[in-house]
Amino acid sequence: AAAGQLGVERGEAAGHAAALRAAELVAEPQRGVQVLRGDGSGHEVHGDTVFLYSLWCKRPSAYKLTPMPSDPSPGTLRPHRAGDIGWIVSRHGALYAQEYGFDGRFEALVARIGADFLERFDAAREACWIAERDGARVGSVVLVQARDETTGEVVPGTAQLRLLLVEPAARGLRLGERLVAECERFARERGYRRIVLWTNANLAAARGIYRKAGYRQTGSEAHHSFGLDLVGETWELELT
């Protein structure tokens, strides 16, 4: 099976073949798989590549690695509408708490970003896309005019990518790549010269998407935020 196309199924010992598939999976950790966390009662247990491999290593006799469907529904992208920004805030707060241990101050930050987006929204220069599968929201990204952190003034020619998110159940379908590509398409169409973004070093999947799209890391700085010691990173994509 291709890297990023495996799940974990409760069952007999995985054996050597599954171990090889797990090693292949870990070779590309930026590519996720579909996620449906089981409750220990025999349901499938899915997760991102690092989660799956670590789970299998801890209990190889209880899980086996199995291929995911080769052609799951890829989902669709659409512009944001009423209620979507609230969903983005809620899901960022819940998922980052669950997956990374971020405290409520992270959700507060996302809420401020969302409020600023709605209050300042300029449809000619900014956009938000929502990823959907089977009518349910499963991902998001926002592209805004970059602003000086001190003055709040718009930085000419520079767009900022924010709030990239893909729900666990939709990982492995390249939705993150599509959302980031849509930002680049829009930015080029609107005449931006570059796209910048800020992330943290522990967000391996997102960093892999950015790197694959051609972004380069331009800086890093240790900080204590959201209850954790983190390393913040700035990334940039030149468009001209």
Side-chain angles (χ1 to χ4, degrees), residues 9-15 55-64:
E9 217 174 70
R10 196 171 284 278
E12 299 300 324
L55 181 64
W56 181 81
C57 286
K58 290 176 181 177
R59 299 186 62 197
S61 63
Y63 299 94
K64 63 179 179 180

Side-chain angles (χ1 to χ4, degrees), residues 19 37 79 136 158 240:
R37 294 189 184 278
T158 303
T240 58

Side-chain angles (χ1 to χ4, degrees), residues 89 104-120 162-163 226:
V89 173
R105 286 170 286 190
F106 177 71
E107 187 171 354
L109 172 63
V110 177
R112 287 192 291 271
I113 293 171
D116 286 344
F117 173 76
L118 291 174
E119 291 176 351
R120 297 171 172 171
R162 312 197 80 167
L163 304 181
F226 323 126

Side-chain angles (χ1 to χ4, degrees), residues 165-179:
L165 177 79
V166 177
E167 285 281 359
R171 293 174 188 166
L173 303 178
R174 298 191 174 180
L175 282 174
E177 294 178 21
R178 289 173 59 194
L179 288 163

